[in-house]
Amino acid sequence: MDLETKSLLVAAERARVLDHNGNRGSDAEHAIREWLRRRVEPEYTVSSGEIIDAFDTDADLKSRQQDIVIHLNSRESNRLALPSGLR
């Protein structure tokens, strides 16, 4: 295993010690987002958000949350950024 894979595994293990499922997921997602950022920026941006489907495809799914969103780092896509960092 390379060093980066070990680092992600350690982040996942660290997240498992948290009691709250939301916090546990957030810590692991943060590690993966940072790993992705190092590979795709500056051409693309890695963020969190929700994908809105104008056709309401799969509307019966329990959660429509998208934990990690990768998109072009363009003026058009960045204008949809919220102060919280969600896009």
Side-chain angles (χ1 to χ4, degrees), residues 38-67:
R38 290 192 299 270
R39 281 150 185 76
V40 302
E41 287 185 346
E43 185 176 356
Y44 293 92
T45 298
V46 179
S47 57
S48 295
E50 182 177 337
I51 297 173
I52 299 170
D53 179 2
F55 299 105
D56 215 16
T57 308
D58 296 325
D60 57 337
L61 293 177
K62 243 182 174 179
S63 172
R64 297 168 59 128
Q65 177 186 357
Q66 302 297 314
D67 296 320

Side-chain angles (χ1 to χ4, degrees), residues 3-85:
L3 187 58
E4 290 181 349
T5 303
K6 288 180 183 177
S7 175
L8 285 172
L9 289 172
V10 166
E13 279 296 316
R14 183 180 59 233
R16 285 189 187 105
V17 302
L18 299 171
D19 291 333
H20 188 273
N21 285 338
N23 293 337
R24 186 178 306 149
S26 296
D27 198 51
E29 291 157 16
H30 176 73
I32 293 170
R33 275 195 307 272
E34 291 306 311
W35 182 84
L36 284 168
R37 276 190 183 113
R38 290 192 299 270
R39 281 150 185 76
V40 302
E41 287 185 346
E43 185 176 356
Y44 293 92
T45 298
V46 179
S47 57
S48 295
E50 182 177 337
I51 297 173
I52 299 170
D53 179 2
F55 299 105
D56 215 16
T57 308
D58 296 325
D60 57 337
L61 293 177
K62 243 182 174 179
S63 172
R64 297 168 59 128
Q65 177 186 357
Q66 302 297 314
D67 296 320
I68 297 175
V69 179
I70 301 173
H71 55 87
L72 281 174
N73 191 9
S74 67
R75 181 177 177 184
E76 291 79 20
S77 63
N78 288 326
R79 70 187 167 121
L80 299 174
L82 300 174
S84 66

